[in-house]
Amino acid sequence: MKKYLVFLAAALLQAGAWAVTYTYVGSTYAPSAITDYTNCTIGTCGNFTAAMSQSGSFTTAAPLPANLSNADIASLITSFSFSDGLTQYNNSDPETTLYSGQAYTDASGGVLEINLTFFHWQASPHVIGSRIDTMVLRQGVRKNGHCQGVVFQTPSGQDVCSGVAFDASSSAIGPNPSTIGSWTVTGLPPVAPNAVPTLGEWGLLLLAFLMLGAGWMAVGRQRM
């Protein structure tokens, strides 16, 4: 019996953290929002098309809290992978930075709006004039712009660009990209109808110890 109680305690403690993935699928770019490069003389150039869109996903260690209003969620994101159709923004790439993330949620934690900003350096070192790709979810994209100022971002410790300029080698989506899309959420913990409120981590820990204590007392009585 004690073995089963140990397993139950471990399961209760694990329930306090539940990884959740938020996936975004944007609409295709409006042709009028596309500006292609005119003369590629520097950097990695690329042209957008009306068949492309913004898409991707990020994962958090636990569901986003309810009733967020322009809340900073960048520190809650454990991994991410997004694309603007030309550039991949992935947390495993040392040249990619999630610069900022803000979220709005409803009373049940459902997504109302999420804004994410990404930087992707095309090469190191990162200096003024370095070529860079940027994406602001649902707002716009810059491909092969040139950085006008480099700052050191904390707590990630990654270089970010304080301003991106556009030239003949650059392409862009915006200022009205028509990238309004939809969010889907996977990995949410199951909630039964009329479920009792979820215990916090300390509550789960206390419950686990109480159940273990009850199990040991039951085993002791059986041996007497």
Side-chain angles (χ1 to χ4, degrees), residues 136-187:
V136 182
L137 201 64
R138 299 177 56 253
Q139 297 184 37
V141 181
R142 296 277 190 178
K143 174 65 178 178
N144 194 32
H146 60 93
C147 184
Q148 296 183 304
V150 181
V151 295
F152 194 73
Q153 182 191 12
T154 57
S156 69
Q158 295 174 289
D159 297 333
V160 297
C161 184
S162 59
V164 180
F166 196 82
D167 58 25
S169 298
S170 308
S171 302
I173 298 293
N176 299 303
S178 292
T179 58
I180 302 300
S182 60
W183 288 95
T184 57
V185 185
T186 55

Side-chain angles (χ1 to χ4, degrees), residues 76-97:
L76 304 179
I77 296 176
T78 57
S79 64
F80 62 84
S81 180
F82 279 83
S83 173
D84 60 21
L86 290 178
T87 302
Q88 189 73 27
Y89 302 87
N90 194 298
N91 65 282
S92 62
D93 180 2
E95 299 293 355
T96 295
T97 301

Side-chain angles (χ1 to χ4, degrees), residues 26-157:
S27 59
T28 53
Y29 299 135
S32 59
I34 300 174
T35 302
D36 288 329
Y37 69 85
T38 57
N39 186 22
C40 186
T41 60
I42 187 172
T44 303
C45 305
N47 286 333
F48 294 99
T49 73
M52 296 178 180
S53 64
Q54 297 177 338
S55 62
S57 65
F58 68 86
T59 299
T60 57
L64 293 177
N67 298 315
L68 295 181
S69 179
N70 197 30
D72 183 0
I73 63 167
S75 62
L76 304 179
I77 296 176
T78 57
S79 64
F80 62 84
S81 180
F82 279 83
S83 173
D84 60 21
L86 290 178
T87 302
Q88 189 73 27
Y89 302 87
N90 194 298
N91 65 282
S92 62
D93 180 2
E95 299 293 355
T96 295
T97 301
L98 171 61
Y99 177 67
S100 64
Q102 292 81 34
Y104 299 78
T105 60
D106 60 23
S108 62
V111 174
L112 297 176
E113 183 178 352
I114 295 177
N115 300 317
L116 303 171
T117 301
F118 301 94
F119 287 124
H120 174 261
W121 298 92
Q122 292 190 0
S124 294
H126 309 151
V127 297
I128 294 176
S130 291
R131 309 306 289 190
I132 192 168
D133 308 319
T134 65
M135 181 176 78
V136 182
L137 201 64
R138 299 177 56 253
Q139 297 184 37
V141 181
R142 296 277 190 178
K143 174 65 178 178
N144 194 32
H146 60 93
C147 184
Q148 296 183 304
V150 181
V151 295
F152 194 73
Q153 182 191 12
T154 57
S156 69

